[in-house]
Amino acid sequence: MTKPADVAKKQVRDEKSADTLTLQALLELQRAAFLRDGIPDAQTRIDRIVRLQALLLDNAEELAEALAADFGSRPRELSIAADIAGCMVDLAHQKKHVTKWMETSTPGKVLARAGFRQEVRHDPKGVVGIMGPWNFPLNLTIVPAGSAFAAGNRVLIRPSSVTAKTTAVLAKHAPRYFDLEELAVLTSAHGGGSDFAKLKVDHMFFTGSPEVGASVATEAAKNLVPVTLELGGKNPVVVDIDADIAKAATRIADARLVNGGQVCLCPDYVWVPEAKLGEFTDRVLARWRTNLPSIKDNPQYTSTINEKNFSRIVDLIDDAESLGATKHQVIPAGEKLPDADARKIPPTLLTGVKAGMKIEEDEVFGPVLTVYPYRELDEAITHITSHPHPLTMYWHGDRNERFYKLADSTQSGSINGNDFAINMFGPDLPFGGVGKSGMGGYHGKYGFDTFSHTRAVAFSTLKVAVSEMMSAPFTAKDTKNTNMQLKLWKFFNNRARKKLGHK
């Protein structure tokens, strides 16, 4: 297997970097290489995934430093766990199983006995474009890139311009591991994300907000490029009447502050049994006070990514309070928060939120949690279903009849029970949204399928040609055969209708 050190010697052709070529030139370079080399074998795909892992692992400290610089304050532990080590499980799964996934399958055994040979190939699409977000700029580009490599594609990555320092580190080191014909990391030197969205790649993969996702899908549609959209939404939490309220409050409080609340899977609002509302809010606030004796100069409290988002979140809080909501904030003694210079917003809990407040509709993507009381579960269900489908939904309690009522009555990309984002653990579950929270999915085999074209192959050994049977002249015998088919299918349909009680 090729080692990264060997790649550095053999793959940087004419010392060209991605920045010396236009977007279109890079696309044409990769497409020409794909057509020239043909479908890669399993060893080549595994080798590319190994090098993708090495790109992150060899440069982990520099990447973590860049992430902290981009955010202003972001703990190294979070960056390593989520953006570097967090990629490895799925990439390892791709390596382990890609040889099996590539195999041509042979369905249609009944038709095979009749004289038809049917196969399904799993072919690469060609060149895949991946547009990444700023909140986890490595994980949410590298994991789909690994899936695209497993499926046999070439990859163009366009990380978010918001995390420019992280992108610069990735772009600087990528040529040591990959030829531009295999993978290219693009920067703002190639224009904005809207320029990338216009590329006529063979599949476009986007992670980000629903608003930008709609724009990407519009541009892709002009070129009939298939898209996978991994978007966000206001993720609801429902706490069951029999749930351990102390445990639920603690876990929800922690989950809301992961990455400063800037996670597409963070809980956004919580429905709590009315009788336990006071206890729940008290315990959430107590948890935040215990964990955060300081905030402004605390490097373990992730800053809001930029001034625009800082102002947007503060405005959401102020709007809700001005319209009658009650604001509860955890502000350590001696600190003045929110702090615009450090872009630190104190953990905030809102009660009394009602329709007409901006926070009722807008995804917060920050350290703010809205809490609603309920008497009957139907109140929570009605609220959830009156809003766009979220990326995930949280339930705290047992897998009882109330849980199944919630699950059966709503739609979401996933459901997580009693903990945060555990649908991301392991490669055996699909990750993706529904409706406004996205379309398509990836992780594990689902990622391989997303970036593959399932291609049907059929051969006939029949002495009679289908084309002859379906072309003029049609004889009395043909009429008899079609009438017989119609009569037979009517018989089966009538029998099914009778079983269902149809008249």
Side-chain angles (χ1 to χ4, degrees), residues 38-48 98-99 102 149-150 152:
I39 296 175
D41 59 17
Q43 191 71 3
T44 299
R45 303 182 194 204
I46 292 169
D47 179 65
R48 289 172 179 167
V98 63
T99 303
M102 291 170 57
F149 276 151

Side-chain angles (χ1 to χ4, degrees), residues 208-283:
S209 71
E211 294 72 27
V212 179
S215 177
V216 170
T218 299
E219 293 298 336
K222 293 176 183 178
N223 292 317
L224 296 181
V225 171
V227 295
T228 298
L229 300 177
E230 300 297 342
L231 310 176
K234 292 179 72 66
N235 301 316
V237 187
V238 178
V239 179
D240 190 27
I241 55 174
D242 293 334
D244 183 328
I245 204 72
K247 181 186 292 185
T250 297
R251 293 185 176 184
I252 294 166
D254 290 348
R256 176 69 270 193
L257 298 190
V258 174
N259 202 37
Q262 299 163 112
V263 186
C264 58
L265 290 169
C266 268
D268 191 290
Y269 63 93
V270 189
W271 285 87
V272 181
E274 186 177 57
K276 299 181 179 180
L277 177 65
E279 181 184 358
F280 178 85
T281 57
D282 288 346
R283 287 186 179 276

